[in-house]
Amino acid sequence: MEGKQPLSGSTREQQQAAAGSGGTEETPRLPAGVGDAPAADSEPEAGLSLAAAAGDALCRPLGPTPSQSRFQVDLVAEGSGRAAADEPQKPGGQGGAAVKGSEEAKGRFRVNFVDPSAGDESPAEPGGGLEGGGVSFQNGGDTVLSEGSLHSGGGGGSGGHHHYDTHTNTYYLRTFGHNTMDAVPRIDHYRHTAAELGEKLIRPSLAELHDELDKEPFEDGYANGEEGTPPGEADATYTADIKGIVKFGWIKGVLVRCMLNIWGVMLFIRLSWIVGQAGIALSVLVIAMATVVTTITGMSTSAIATNGFVRGGGAYYLISRSLGPEFGGAIGLIFAFANAVAVAMYVVGFAETVVELLQENGALMLDEMNDIRIIGAITVLILLGISVAGMEWEAKAQITLLVILLLAIVDFIIGTFIPLDNKKVKGFFGYKAEILTENFGPDFRDGETFFSVFAIFFPAATGILAGANISGDLADPQSAIPKGTLLAIVITTLVYIGMAISVGSCVVRDATGNINSTIITELTNCTTSACKLNFDFSSCQKTQCPYGLLNDFQVMSMVSGFAPLISAGIFSATLSSALASLVSAPKIFQALCKDNIYPGLLMFAKGYGKNNEPLRGYILTFLIALGFILIAELNVIAPIISNFFLASYALINFSVFHASLAKSPGWRPAFKYYNMWVSLVGAILCCIVMFVINWWAALLTYVIVLGLYIYVTYKKPDVNWGSSTQALTYLSALQHSVRLTGVEDHVKNFRPQCLVMTGAPNSRPALVHLVHAFTKNVGLMICGHIHMGPRRQAIKELSTDLARYQRWLIKNKMKAFYAPVHAEDLRDGGQYLMQAAGLGRMRPNTLVVGFKKDWKQADMRDVETYINLFHDAFDIQYGVVVIRLKEGLDISHLQGQEELLSSQEKSPSSKDVVVNVDYSKKTETDTSKVFSPPSSEKTPGLHKDSKGPRSPLNLADQRLLDASSQFQKKQGKNTIDVWWLFDDGGLTLLIPYLLTTKKKWKDCKIRVFIGGKINRIDHDRRAMATLLSKFRIDFSDIMVLGDINTKPKKENIAAFEEMVEPFRLHEDDKEQDIADKMKEDEPWRITDNELELYKTKSYRQIRLNELLKEHSSTANVIVMSLPVARKGAVSSALYMAWLEVLSKDLPPILLVRGNHQSVLTFYS
């Protein structure tokens, strides 16, 4: 392709040179007129048609072809002045870049986007302002970008991800002096998904920038074989999606909702009674205390809401993303339920007011209770209709209700300045110092106290999350939630305090309403304010009067200038709160269901229409509300609902404290006016208020939250939200690890910390389960996996294997870590792991390997490497454990092993690939090298599980499979036989003891076998019994083997000699030079001298095997001292022969050798 080259090798210099010379070296001259720019006043389409013409003239499309790299460089004009001079030499695509007002184009340049699939047509970009999708760069490289522009060069298939494509222009050339694949910082690279805010773009990976180019980087034009969607299509889809979506600003979305929810019926019906009971001073204190709790919660909400993008779900979303799914799932369910029942509460409040009006006019339909039910049911049905009609209608209804509510408040304030004579008998005298003084202090009656009054008022303050609950419908939740919530708290608090003081200064506590209570003659001994104002209400001290602050709930109506407006205000307050709750509950419930915390509720996650309205949630909320309206026992429900809300507030406050305590770098709220300790105090206050409101409701709330928390924790939802719980876990682990490094090791605290050479953990499950049996909750267990083969491919496998096999360990409840490493051979890998695995004091001290069963058929260099692992471990003071099962350990060659082993992971990602690092061969199939088959799925060069019918296993494989799962079962009443022949510090005895402490092994008894002399058997047994009792290790029997040095049977000796024959050097039968050369080339060979020198030791291994078969053939497991071979003196073949003959044809056997430092002590 002319003018476009893959960005690799020498082409980069050519492109720079071409850019410097106006592109003449790489692009052909165009026919006269083709490259000319259109006039300044011409339409943009003209430029596009010229571009298309240029493409046709050159017999090539403008877009990159599939055979090219997705990283393209297309050189265009750098400035209008220079463009005029060089214009005839430019490629046609550049001519199309000219736009209106080119005189003003100084210092800016235009970018044309080409669509790989569209041929000659350039796709339109939304918001780009130009049909050709052009984007301006101003001020010499400062970009002015719209969403979905510039980098959106190709879309990823399934997830809607869009791959990064370099500017096909001179932006990079201008900014950095050369064209580059590297992406400049851009918000779209940090998105999770292709959300409504814009496209997810993928920056070039480090491998794409760093790896050597051994061929065309990406043959299909995209990385990793991903299919691309043309940017035009992606953008068109995106544009269609956002049309019709209703998003609210901070006033309509948050402020209005919060004010309406906080100004409930309390304002008009209960506030006057509270002032009557508590007095003005304590009423203001009650309001202030409630405000302190809500303000702290509001600040905490603001902090969480500004720490990243907020989706729908309100309080549930904030808590779940901060504290994790356990708390979020518990609170989400009860908070949604509380909102649903709150609908019933508010509707019943409205219905009661309507029924009172009907009663006054004698217009009841049936009786009082049934009328409340009928009116309540009709009301909730109408509210449901408004909600289902869409958020826009609901918002309009809220605005209307707010206007009515504000008019009612103004009506009351005006009324306080107009004291009419006919109202004085009802206790209203206008603003009087006498009344203010009298009502300033408390006058608690009917058993009320300060806290009971506070409990009645506090629910009025619980509407502060009304805005946050529809966070998904806010245009900018991060800005709207803090501004709207905090301003609503300030405004509503001032109005509450103002109205409390007003009503307390105007109305006396008791009034008869009788005109005869007027005093004509002036009394001198007046004590009450009413008396001073010429009214005698003294009769109210004997009998309860119908009027006054303490007796009449309709004081506000009486004081107001126009009483029906107060009734309208009550209707407005109740209906707006009911409407807000009716909208909040389904939105929260939908967000909860989408996260699939409770799998049974997934059907409620579905949304409908442009706004993704939760219609199923609306119906459910309607049914719950209708149910409680018909029950009509709301006095019992009300305190529980208040406590549910308070539990949410407490957890929001605790979330901020927890996130601050965890010191996560991701905790960076834009809202700075919060303090972790203030938030903690807020959480504690919420818990205290719960008990103040109702102690049994508080306990019930705690039980429900705890129950849901335990359920979600047990279910372990597969989500990862980067919660502060994770951050605090890390911080705690880090702090304890650092603290542990300052603690010296002590024999009493010794733990076997095992580095287990498992390869892929699921390929040797028996090895993993047996070691886990004695390390679980005791010591560290690291599963080492050495990847061999080509480095570049193995490195890519490390990260994928790390996630896959760590997940497998967790799924199988293994308390272990997975540590992959790349090395040239097994020995190097083992050295890397032994030296570098672990952290601080939590480092391995014991190497555990499986026995190399096929060593006789294997390449002896691999056997040499295997034995050298032992020597390396001893060199760095590790203990060594060799585990042998007669059936073998490695099951990776079996088909369908994951299904056959009940404990194995069932997920397809793990089922597809089983990695097998076999110690026996050094072929590519035994390493974790990954080949690239024609499909996009990467398959390690191993055995892939068959998806079709499985062929039946042969007997040996069936036994191997059974043996692989034997340590996952309960072991029954049998023995663990310990052959403690050599004192290695006690590890040989500690491992079996630790096994017996586990549930599956607790019925097994320990039998100890030791070597001894025939004439000292009793003495040796007593000495060992004393030692074991001092170590406080229970045993069932001690056997002293007096015949350990007896010569083994001849047939066994003959079998041993036959086994080692192929590995002998036979130097006596060869010339000295040939023998020396052969020993140098094959150091593993057994010399005649060596065989004779170690004959006694060889015989001892044969004899021990005979004794093991005689005494321990029925044991569950045998733990035996591992014989040690002197480095450089005993050949690998001879040492392997010893291990083979010692451990063959026996139950599972652990050959153990500690590092000869004490791991047991009898001192306290």
Side-chain angles (χ1 to χ4, degrees):
M1 291 280 291
E2 299 159 281
K4 295 186 180 182
Q5 298 284 342
L7 192 63
S8 62
S10 61
T11 15
R12 191 168 290 167
E13 287 79 9
Q14 293 170 15
Q15 287 165 340
Q16 289 179 22
S21 62
T24 52
E25 292 181 20
E26 286 207 291
T27 53
R29 288 178 64 89
L30 299 176
V34 173
D36 295 341
D41 59 345
S42 66
E43 291 298 315
E45 288 84 353
L48 291 176
S49 62
L50 285 173
D56 292 338
L58 294 171
C59 302
R60 64 177 174 85
L62 281 174
T65 61
S67 63
Q68 287 183 289
S69 163
R70 67 189 174 106
F71 301 115
Q72 303 291 342
V73 179
D74 191 14
L75 305 176
V76 296
E78 293 186 6
S80 58
R82 185 168 153 194
D86 296 343
E87 206 107 315
Q89 301 171 0
K90 301 291 178 181
Q94 189 180 316
V99 291
K100 290 181 185 178
S102 62
E103 296 91 334
E104 298 169 17
K106 216 167 202 178
R108 63 167 66 179
F109 51 94
R110 180 69 54 182
V111 178
N112 269 351
F113 290 92
V114 288
D115 181 354
S117 65
D120 296 338
E121 293 178 11
S122 207
E125 293 275 332
L130 192 72
E131 288 191 27
V135 177
S136 296
F137 291 93
Q138 299 175 337
N139 307 322
D142 291 339
T143 57
V144 180
L145 301 177
S146 63
E147 292 290 357
S149 65
L150 215 59
H151 290 289
S152 45
S158 57
H161 289 209
H162 294 271
H163 290 294
Y164 171 80
D165 202 347
T166 52
H167 300 301
T168 51
N169 55 67
T170 58
Y171 173 65
Y172 284 90
L173 194 65
R174 269 266 178 122
T175 310
F176 303 109
H178 69 284
N179 281 298
T180 173
M181 286 183 184
D182 254 343
V184 290
R186 170 121 193 239
I187 190 171
D188 292 328
H189 294 138
Y190 295 88
R191 297 196 193 283
H192 280 299
T193 55
E196 63 266 14
L197 287 182
E199 302 169 55
K200 161 74 175 171
L201 299 181
I202 298 177
R203 66 180 72 81
S205 71
L206 195 56
E208 287 170 349
L209 295 174
H210 170 253
D211 278 4
E212 58 198 57
L213 290 170
D214 49 2
K215 58 175 182 175
E216 279 287 313
F218 309 106
E219 291 179 5
D220 58 358
Y222 296 97
N224 306 325
E226 302 258 7
E227 290 295 321
T229 53
E233 285 179 28
D235 294 335
T237 311
Y238 160 60
T239 310
D241 284 346
I242 62 170
K243 281 181 183 173
I245 292 180
V246 179
K247 295 287 182 185
F248 301 117
W250 71 275
I251 294 176
K252 196 192 277 192
V254 183
L255 182 67
V256 168
R257 284 167 195 284
C258 288
M259 284 166 61
L260 282 169
N261 243 27
I262 296 169
W263 283 332
V265 238
M266 192 69 64
L267 187 64
F268 299 110
I269 293 181
R270 284 287 187 275
L271 188 62
S272 56
W273 178 85
I274 288 168
V275 173
Q277 289 281 357
I280 293 170
L282 291 185
S283 295
V284 171
L285 183 61
V286 163
I287 296 166
M289 282 171 62
T291 304
V292 165
V293 175
T294 55
T295 304
I296 293 172
T297 308
M299 289 195 295
S300 296
T301 307
S302 302
I304 301 174
T306 58
N307 188 53
F309 178 63
V310 178
R311 297 180 191 273
Y316 160 72
Y317 185 87
L318 299 178
I319 293 170
S320 63
R321 272 25 175 211
S322 295
L323 289 178
E326 295 83 8
F327 277 118
I331 281 300
L333 205 58
I334 67 166
F335 195 64
F337 178 75
N339 272 289
V341 179
V343 175
M345 280 174 55
Y346 296 129
V347 168
V348 167
F350 166 76
E352 281 178 350
T353 314
V354 173
V355 168
E356 275 181 26
L357 291 173
L358 292 175
Q359 213 167 7
E360 284 173 17
N361 297 304
L364 282 179
M365 290 177 279
L366 298 170
D367 55 64
E368 195 175 334
M369 182 59 74
N370 285 319
D371 277 15
I372 289 172
R373 287 171 177 157
I374 292 166
I375 293 166
I378 294 167
T379 306
V380 80
L381 195 59
I382 293 167
L383 292 178
L384 176 69
I386 294 170
S387 302
V388 170
M391 291 297 291
E392 189 62 41
W393 283 94
E394 189 264 351
K396 286 174 182 171
Q398 294 280 27
I399 296 285
T400 308
L401 293 170
L402 180 66
V403 169
I404 295 168
L405 195 57
L406 290 171
L407 287 174
I409 292 168
V410 171
D411 177 35
F412 165 77
I413 292 166
I414 291 169
T416 58
F417 292 99
I418 313 170
L420 301 173
D421 288 344
N422 65 336
K423 292 182 181 178
K424 288 184 179 178
V425 292
K426 295 181 180 179
F428 171 50
F429 294 94
Y431 290 101
K432 299 290 180 187
E434 298 92 335
I435 299 176
L436 175 66
T437 309
E438 184 180 79
N439 288 345
F440 197 77
D443 182 14
F444 293 112
R445 300 183 194 174
D446 303 324
E448 299 291 349
T449 63
F450 174 78
F451 287 110
S452 69
V453 169
F454 175 77
I456 288 167
F457 174 79
F458 189 82
T462 57
I464 59 167
L465 292 182
N469 286 340
I470 61 154
S471 53
D473 295 296
L474 300 176
D476 182 8
Q478 289 179 278
S479 165
I481 291 172
K483 282 197 289 192
T485 305
L486 294 174
L487 186 59
I489 291 171
V490 170
I491 293 171
T492 51
T493 302
L494 291 176
V495 169
Y496 268 125
I497 290 173
M499 292 182 74
I501 294 170
S502 290
V503 80
S505 306
C506 297
V507 186
V508 295
R509 283 190 167 102
D510 296 291
T512 58
N514 190 344
I515 193 71
N516 297 327
S517 299
T518 311
I519 301 170
I520 294 155
T521 57
E522 206 170 297
L523 298 179
T524 53
N525 59 343
C526 281
T527 54
T528 64
S529 56
C531 176
K532 291 173 186 173
L533 295 167
N534 297 329
F535 278 85
D536 179 16
F537 296 143
S538 56
S539 60
C540 293
Q541 292 170 4
K542 296 168 189 171
T543 58
Q544 188 170 350
C545 293
Y547 296 100
L549 290 176
L550 286 168
N551 309 310
D552 184 11
F553 287 148
Q554 301 295 333
V555 165
M556 295 288 187
S557 296
M558 185 260 293
V559 170
S560 66
F562 182 61
L565 203 50
I566 296 295
S567 295
I570 294 169
F571 293 164
S572 170
T574 50
L575 291 177
S576 64
S577 296
L579 195 54
S581 295
L582 185 58
V583 169
S584 296
K587 297 275 185 188
I588 295 163
F589 195 56
Q590 184 186 32
L592 176 70
C593 296
K594 268 184 183 172
D595 289 335
N596 205 17
I597 304 292
Y598 303 101
L601 303 176
L602 194 59
M603 61 176 287
F604 292 102
K606 184 171 172 57
Y608 296 86
K610 291 290 181 187
N611 267 38
N612 198 32
E613 293 290 350
L615 295 187
R616 295 175 181 181
Y618 281 129
I619 301 299
L620 182 65
T621 306
F622 166 74
L623 294 174
I624 292 170
L626 188 62
F628 279 99
I629 288 166
L630 297 178
I631 292 168
E633 284 294 330
L634 291 179
N635 288 342
V636 180
I637 301 294
I640 300 175
I641 300 309
S642 296
N643 275 314
F644 281 2
F645 284 129
L646 275 165
S648 308
Y649 295 175
L651 277 178
I652 287 174
N653 285 314
F654 183 70
S655 297
V656 172
F657 169 74
H658 201 266
S660 303
L661 188 68
K663 299 186 178 77
S664 171
W667 174 247
R668 304 184 299 274
F671 181 83
K672 300 296 181 190
Y673 306 103
Y674 74 95
N675 179 279
M676 62 183 286
W677 300 109
V678 171
S679 294
L680 181 63
V681 168
I684 294 167
L685 283 176
C686 287
C687 294
I688 293 170
V689 171
M690 287 170 74
F691 279 97
V692 168
I693 289 176
N694 191 305
W695 67 268
W696 61 261
L699 287 177
L700 182 64
T701 306
Y702 286 142
V703 168
I704 292 171
V705 172
L706 188 64
L708 290 171
Y709 177 89
I710 291 167
Y711 171 79
V712 177
T713 306
Y714 174 74
K715 295 297 282 185
K716 287 191 180 68
D718 186 20
V719 294
N720 182 7
W721 294 324
S723 65
S724 59
T725 311
Q726 293 171 333
L728 197 63
T729 303
Y730 172 84
L731 187 68
S732 175
L734 181 65
Q735 288 172 343
H736 284 94
S737 300
V738 171
R739 195 177 306 155
L740 195 61
T741 56
V743 178
E744 289 297 322
D745 288 332
H746 192 281
V747 63
K748 281 198 294 185
N749 291 325
F750 176 86
R751 297 161 186 270
Q753 308 206 100
C754 298
L755 171 60
V756 192
M757 305 301 280
T758 58
N762 61 356
S763 65
R764 293 177 177 81
L767 187 62
V768 175
H769 283 105
L770 182 55
V771 177
H772 185 252
F774 62 82
T775 58
K776 182 185 176 184
N777 296 330
V778 173
L780 178 71
M781 177 178 168
I782 297 177
C783 295
H785 186 177
I786 301 165
H787 290 250
M788 295 175 282
R791 179 180 178 279
R792 185 176 172 185
Q793 207 63 46
I795 293 294
K796 286 180 183 175
E797 275 298 285
L798 291 184
S799 58
T800 54
D801 279 1
L802 183 61
R804 179 192 305 150
Y805 293 123
Q806 191 62 60
R807 197 164 56 239
W808 184 89
L809 289 168
I810 292 166
K811 180 97 173 178
N812 287 276
K813 298 178 180 170
M814 297 284 144
K815 297 191 175 177
F817 299 94
Y818 172 72
V821 68
H822 172 259
E824 291 303 317
D825 61 28
L826 187 73
R827 185 177 187 184
D828 286 348
Q831 287 176 340
Y832 299 159
L833 285 168
M834 283 187 276
Q835 291 175 71
L839 184 71
R841 293 281 176 200
M842 292 188 297
R843 302 177 72 85
N845 53 29
T846 306
L847 177 71
V848 182
V849 296
F851 180 75
K852 194 169 184 60
K853 189 184 175 190
D854 59 352
W855 69 274
K856 287 178 278 189
Q857 295 82 38
D859 185 334
M860 287 308 292
R861 285 172 299 186
D862 286 350
V863 177
E864 181 87 357
T865 302
Y866 176 75
I867 296 301
N868 282 332
L869 267 182
F870 297 10
H871 295 311
D872 294 337
F874 290 138
D875 284 344
I876 55 177
Q877 293 296 296
Y878 268 56
V880 173
V881 178
V882 182
I883 297 178
R884 181 174 189 181
L885 270 62
K886 62 186 173 193
E887 298 85 359
L889 293 166
D890 188 358
I891 63 167
S892 60
H893 62 284
L894 299 180
Q895 288 183 325
Q897 53 157 316
E898 305 277 346
E899 290 90 346
L900 293 168
L901 275 171
S902 59
S903 70
Q904 306 298 75
E905 189 177 10
K906 302 283 194 299
S907 76
S909 61
S910 296
K911 189 160 56 179
D912 285 348
V913 176
V914 181
V915 180
N916 168 24
V917 177
D918 193 345
Y919 300 144
S920 62
K921 305 185 190 82
K922 216 173 175 184
T923 60
E924 290 200 327
T925 35
D926 296 323
T927 71
S928 290
K929 167 161 180 176
V930 179
F931 302 101
S932 297
S935 70
S936 61
E937 184 182 18
K938 293 181 179 178
T939 310
L942 326 154
H943 307 279
K944 206 178 172 197
D945 286 355
S946 171
K947 299 284 191 254
R950 247 185 341 262
S951 56
L953 296 172
N954 61 38
L955 192 59
D957 284 344
Q958 188 58 55
R959 283 177 180 161
L960 171 59
L961 213 51
D962 293 341
S964 293
S965 59
Q966 65 180 307
F967 301 121
Q968 295 164 251
K969 303 166 187 165
K970 195 167 175 63
Q971 296 301 303
K973 294 185 177 179
N974 211 325
T975 61
I976 299 173
D977 286 0
V978 182
W979 291 64
W980 196 15
L981 305 179
F982 308 106
D983 191 348
D984 59 351
L987 187 63
T988 311
L989 192 60
L990 181 62
I991 287 174
Y993 164 72
L994 291 173
L995 277 175
T996 59
T997 62
K998 298 300 184 287
K999 192 175 178 182
K1000 286 174 184 168
W1001 296 81
K1002 66 182 174 65
D1003 293 333
C1004 292
K1005 302 294 182 188
I1006 292 176
R1007 290 196 303 177
V1008 180
F1009 295 80
I1010 56 171
K1013 294 179 181 176
I1014 299 272
N1015 56 355
R1016 287 170 56 94
I1017 285 179
D1018 287 343
H1019 176 270
D1020 290 344
R1021 183 185 283 117
R1022 280 197 301 274
M1024 179 53 65
T1026 305
L1027 180 60
L1028 291 175
S1029 64
K1030 283 183 179 292
F1031 285 149
R1032 304 169 303 285
I1033 291 176
D1034 291 333
F1035 58 91
S1036 64
D1037 194 10
I1038 295 173
M1039 294 188 69
V1040 181
L1041 304 167
D1043 52 352
I1044 203 166
N1045 288 321
T1046 307
K1047 192 173 179 180
K1049 294 174 185 174
K1050 284 183 182 176
E1051 61 267 27
N1052 291 335
I1053 294 173
F1056 176 77
E1057 288 174 348
E1058 185 185 339
M1059 180 174 65
V1060 299
E1061 182 60 35
F1063 309 107
R1064 291 181 61 180
L1065 184 62
H1066 289 295
E1067 74 272 19
D1068 293 344
D1069 301 338
K1070 296 181 176 69
E1071 290 182 16
Q1072 185 67 34
D1073 293 348
I1074 296 171
D1076 290 347
K1077 181 77 171 73
M1078 200 170 173
K1079 182 64 178 171
E1080 188 180 332
D1081 292 341
E1082 299 178 339
W1084 44 267
R1085 286 207 176 269
I1086 308 167
T1087 65
D1088 297 341
N1089 183 43
E1090 178 188 2
L1091 199 59
E1092 188 60 37
L1093 187 64
Y1094 291 107
K1095 182 191 278 187
T1096 312
K1097 198 162 185 178
S1098 299
Y1099 284 0
R1100 188 190 304 140
Q1101 313 313 322
I1102 302 167
R1103 177 62 185 150
L1104 282 171
N1105 181 257
E1106 292 172 359
L1107 290 169
L1108 282 161
K1109 286 176 180 171
E1110 181 184 335
H1111 296 289
S1112 297
S1113 57
T1114 59
N1116 270 21
V1117 72
I1118 301 167
V1119 182
M1120 187 176 197
S1121 297
L1122 172 74
V1124 176
R1126 190 172 295 280
K1127 193 164 48 169
V1130 179
S1131 62
S1132 301
L1134 182 59
Y1135 189 36
M1136 277 305 299
W1138 288 350
L1139 299 184
E1140 169 73 33
V1141 76
L1142 175 64
S1143 59
K1144 71 175 182 181
D1145 300 330
L1146 289 170
I1149 182 167
L1150 282 73
L1151 300 173
V1152 179
R1153 176 67 65 153
N1155 62 2
H1156 286 247
Q1157 293 174 0
S1158 295
V1159 301
L1160 296 170
T1161 181
F1162 45 78
Y1163 293 106
S1164 59

